[in-house]
Amino acid sequence: MRVSLLILAFSCMAGAALLARNAWAQQAEPLGGCLSPQEMREAVPEHHLADSYRVIKHVSSEHRAEAVGAKLCRQGGKFVYELTLLPHDAKEVLHVLVDAMTGETLSGKPPK
């Protein structure tokens, strides 16, 4: 009985996580191609983009989370940083899009 309840609870949590991920993906405009690390290093000064280290540090602090991934991608004719964060409470992985020119958070607003 307990095993069945644990399996049911895990299945519900996994389903909820998938639904939340799909909802986030549908709200955001699709990302164009993401740059390789070498292309990213070249694009930042060439296009006058915000320093990725400072963006990661700021967004991680805002979300009280550890950055576990960062990519520079094209979206709608501009560059965005796609950050993957693991909150200190480790409830769920967060995906945050940040305008690479201004450093403004576009999606994945921090908790209040």
Side-chain angles (χ1 to χ4, degrees):
M1 176 79 174
R2 286 184 183 174
V3 173
S4 297
L5 288 176
L6 286 173
I7 291 171
L8 178 63
F10 180 75
S11 297
C12 289
M13 289 187 325
L18 286 173
L19 287 174
R21 183 174 180 265
N22 288 341
W24 178 82
Q26 288 174 355
Q27 287 177 344
E29 183 178 330
L31 293 178
C34 293
L35 282 63
S36 71
Q38 178 62 37
E39 292 171 324
M40 184 174 163
R41 283 189 292 277
E42 294 169 359
V44 170
E46 183 179 327
H47 297 282
H48 308 288
L49 304 178
D51 178 63
S52 60
Y53 176 77
R54 288 191 176 124
V55 169
I56 292 167
K57 188 175 177 180
H58 175 74
V59 173
S60 295
S61 175
E62 257 188 346
H63 285 80
R64 296 181 291 281
E66 186 74 28
V68 293
K71 295 189 274 185
L72 180 61
C73 305
R74 292 181 184 90
Q75 182 185 46
K78 63 182 177 180
F79 286 102
V80 295
Y81 288 112
E82 179 187 14
L83 306 178
T84 303
L85 306 172
L86 181 61
H88 295 292
D89 62 12
K91 288 186 179 178
E92 63 183 35
V93 173
L94 302 174
H95 297 280
V96 179
L97 290 180
V98 178
D99 185 308
M101 184 74 83
T102 65
E104 176 188 354
T105 300
L106 302 172
S107 69
K109 301 290 183 188
K112 298 205 179 207

